[in-house]
Amino acid sequence: MPNPTQVVALLKAQQIHHVRLYDADQAMLLALAGSGIRVTVSVPNQQLLAIGQSNATAANWVARNILTHVPATNITAISVGSEVLTTIPNAAPVLVSALQYIHAALVAARLDSHIKVSTAHSSSIILDSFPPSQAFFNRTWDPVMVPLLKFLQSTGSYLMLNVYPYYDYMQSHDAIPLDYALFRPLPPNKEAVDSNTLLHYTNVFDAVVDAAYFAMSYLNFTNIPIVVTESGWPSKGDSSEPDATIDNANTYNSNLIKHVLNNTGTPKHPGVAISTYIYELYNEDSRSGAVSEKNWGLFDPNGRPIYVLHLTGSGTVLANDTTNQTYCVAREGVDRKMLQAALDWACGPGKVDCSAMLQGAPCYQPDTVAAHATYAFDAYYHRMAMAEGTCDFNGVATVTTTDPSHGSCIFPGSNGSNGTFINGTSLAPSTNSTSSGSSLAFNSNDYVSFRRLVAVLLWAAVFL
């Protein structure tokens, strides 16, 4: 994985202003210091029992993981555990105590108004989720959910919910259409209608979020906002996961971003955008389990995008693909002899027309091996229709979305776009990123969530 400094450099290049960590990794928090990026940290599940049973242990956790880093690191929220009710139910009896003890430590430090405390839930705690108006939380968890919701209400916090239409679709045995899971347009007669409210649902995401709103209403809580702390779609799967594809992952995440950006909200709460994190920033190639478990990331460990999000008219995240423009360029810091050998191959056996780099020609300057190699690599890459594997050259080349054209030297397929190059990956700046901040930020902010050093992306409302 990239080291924390490289991760923060990537976030800055993307103008991502919010991140979510699945722990309180000291190196990451130090790297984020001074960046201005808003950070949500987490109490790992394995620490929950100790914190939930001891006010002193909770205070020590806050002192060690929060007080030593603020205000240099802008920590704005703490998730106490993740999917506790469904993954470690033995800790459920102390969950609310853990939140209260963490919050009490923040109150003592006068940080409670700046740092919110909550806990992320799996959407599977919601039963009978369609129609949404009939949804309710698993009654087994009422002794936890009622005091939890009271805590969130009294502290001005929000319900954290993980929403995965991919799993809803996979487990429906074709009862849920793929287009409905992917936010693809549906004809009116294909939309799902809640027979009790007559609200029309055009996608799974909105239905699950509204089910959570109705489940809270069932317990008489109507003013607690929802933040989706995980959502995404895997880009690769095994033979039993035929819909875990790059195209579907791209479609889902792109449409999710646009959905939040448009501030459409949900049918129950129209116009109220749902802050959402996209799971996750990096693929996890060594993770156990199904192939899909390794492939939720937007980037590979080298910082290269797995795919280019479709965001026409919505600003850009990773890159604007209206013309499907990517380029092949020489990597920085590689061995000069290897670079020269690759350049020689491209202009020889690779059959690239390198006449533009001859003395006096438009691409002669700058007269360096790296500059000439970049032109030759890109010419070969586009001659091969940007096919997979055609921008490698024994590891000395990489794909970017930054147009390397300069002056009168116009590269193949150039459209004059501009971007940012970071760690071998070009990330186009947002076309509407002023105070809203983020190439990946929808509405006004964006969030990234880290699994160890792995992450997801987004925050909406002010964020997606």
Side-chain angles (χ1 to χ4, degrees), residues 104-407:
L106 294 174
V107 170
R110 298 182 179 179
L111 291 172
D112 54 300
S113 63
H114 182 69
I115 301 176
K116 297 302 179 183
V117 180
S118 188
T119 182
H121 296 285
S122 165
S123 62
S124 64
I125 66 170
I126 304 169
L127 301 182
D128 198 14
S129 59
F130 201 90
S133 61
Q134 293 181 190
F136 56 94
F137 294 119
N138 187 330
R139 298 301 300 271
T140 303
W141 300 122
D142 277 4
V144 177
M145 289 305 299
V146 172
L148 172 62
L149 293 173
K150 285 182 179 178
F151 169 83
L152 298 179
Q153 186 177 64
S154 66
T155 61
S157 189
Y158 38 80
L159 182 74
M160 293 180 170
L161 189 69
N162 297 340
V163 179
Y164 283 106
Y166 172 75
Y167 289 126
D168 293 327
Y169 164 74
M170 289 288 289
Q171 294 163 10
S172 75
H173 305 293
D174 297 325
I176 293 177
L178 181 61
D179 286 349
Y180 184 56
L182 293 173
F183 291 92
R184 284 177 177 152
L186 296 172
N189 64 324
K190 296 292 185 181
E191 294 177 358
V193 180
D194 186 321
S195 57
N196 299 314
T197 62
L198 299 183
L199 294 173
H200 287 236
Y201 288 87
T202 60
N203 61 81
V204 174
F205 181 89
D206 282 354
V208 173
V209 171
D210 271 2
Y213 277 127
F214 278 108
M216 286 193 287
S217 297
Y218 184 81
L219 296 176
N220 296 315
F221 295 91
T222 58
N223 59 348
I224 299 173
I226 292 174
V227 169
V228 174
T229 37
E230 293 180 19
S231 194
W233 197 283
S235 60
K236 186 178 181 181
D238 57 30
S239 58
S240 66
E241 303 168 301
D243 295 298
T245 66
I246 283 182
D247 183 60
N248 286 344
N250 197 340
T251 298
Y252 178 81
N253 285 328
S254 297
N255 286 340
L256 173 61
I257 292 168
K258 287 185 281 190
H259 182 64
V260 176
L261 263 178
N262 292 338
N263 288 331
T264 52
T266 66
K268 179 171 172 56
H269 291 291
V272 180
I274 301 298
S275 301
T276 303
Y277 291 86
I278 290 181
Y279 181 82
E280 58 187 328
L281 191 60
Y282 295 106
N283 274 343
E284 299 185 67
D285 60 342
S286 62
R287 185 168 181 165
S288 60
V291 172
S292 63
E293 289 298 314
K294 309 172 190 288
N295 291 282
W296 290 81
L298 298 178
F299 294 90
D300 70 14
N302 291 317
R304 290 187 294 258
I306 303 300
Y307 47 85
V308 179
L309 292 169
H310 303 301
L311 296 171
T312 306
S314 300
T316 53
V317 180
L318 309 189
N320 187 324
D321 75 331
T322 54
T323 56
N324 195 31
Q325 274 315 105
T326 54
Y327 305 87
C328 183
V329 299
R331 286 184 178 274
E332 294 183 5
V334 297
D335 183 81
R336 187 178 183 280
K337 291 181 179 179
M338 291 183 65
L339 202 60
Q340 182 67 60
L343 170 60
D344 293 343
W345 183 90
C347 293
K351 299 181 179 179
V352 167
D353 180 4
C354 293
S355 60
M357 296 182 292
L358 296 176
Q359 188 168 3
C363 298
Y364 174 70
Q365 295 291 346
D367 183 16
T368 66
V369 173
H372 289 182
T374 288
Y375 182 89
F377 294 170
D378 189 60
Y380 179 80
Y381 176 61
H382 281 87
R383 190 169 69 81
M384 301 302 292
M386 299 180 287
E388 184 176 355
T390 58
C391 181
D392 183 75
F393 294 92
N394 288 326
V396 299
T398 189
V399 173
T400 176
T401 54
T402 300
D403 185 350
S405 300
H406 52 90

